[in-house]
Amino acid sequence: MSVAAKDKKNDAPQALANLHFSVLKDDSNKPVRNASVILHPVGKNGQSNAGYQLKTDSEGKTESEGVPYGMLRVQVIAPGFQTFGDDYNINQPDMKIDIRLKRPAQQFTIYDKGGKNASQDDGAPQQGTPVPKDPPK
């Protein structure tokens, strides 16, 4: 985003912010290095196609200067973590945004390898094998 951004309505300089991101593991508060932090402005008509990507450093930090005030959609992607996404109202000259990434939830199936019901004697579900894309007929 350009430091020389202008408000299209009255050609006055638009307020700009410096954003400081910190990406941490939710379970340990340790930094997530090399995470992709993707920024998309959100206008009245929804998310803009214009956007850009940042990468976190070894301390899980990255920053962007000269971001225009307004709504901003932030998406964070890192291997081994759930994708994070949220909208932020950028309305201060300096903003710190802390993001906590969660590990993927464990997935279960009601089928064992043979496609039979895999419940225990007490009726509680057991961990099974992944559900095939095209279950056997």
Side-chain angles (χ1 to χ4, degrees), residues 62-114:
T62 190
E63 55 186 42
S64 182
E65 297 178 355
V67 178
Y69 278 28
M71 290 303 293
L72 183 70
R73 181 157 294 147
V74 177
Q75 182 179 22
V76 180
I77 301 171
F81 294 93
Q82 292 179 7
T83 298
F84 172 89
D86 206 355
D87 291 348
Y88 293 88
N89 184 17
I90 308 305
N91 59 7
Q92 300 172 23
D94 278 297
M95 292 185 68
K96 183 168 177 17
I97 298 174
D98 294 324
I99 296 168
R100 300 199 178 279
L101 296 183
K102 297 180 182 207
R103 297 283 183 185
Q106 189 173 7
Q107 297 182 359
F108 297 93
T109 180
I110 60 171
Y111 300 100
D112 64 12
K113 289 183 183 179

Side-chain angles (χ1 to χ4, degrees), residues 7-80:
D7 185 341
K8 293 177 183 173
K9 289 181 183 175
N10 59 17
D11 208 29
Q14 185 175 4
L16 301 174
N18 296 323
L19 305 181
H20 309 275
F21 295 93
S22 179
V23 180
L24 302 172
K25 297 176 185 176
D26 186 53
D27 57 355
S28 67
N29 289 329
K30 291 186 178 179
V32 178
R33 69 173 51 178
N34 207 32
S36 293
V37 179
I38 303 156
L39 310 177
H40 287 282
V42 179
K44 293 176 186 173
N45 298 326
Q47 177 178 308
S48 165
N49 287 336
Y52 54 100
Q53 176 178 321
L54 308 168
K55 288 284 192 175
T56 58
D57 61 17
S58 62
E59 296 178 0
K61 297 183 183 295
T62 190
E63 55 186 42
S64 182
E65 297 178 355
V67 178
Y69 278 28
M71 290 303 293
L72 183 70
R73 181 157 294 147
V74 177
Q75 182 179 22
V76 180
I77 301 171

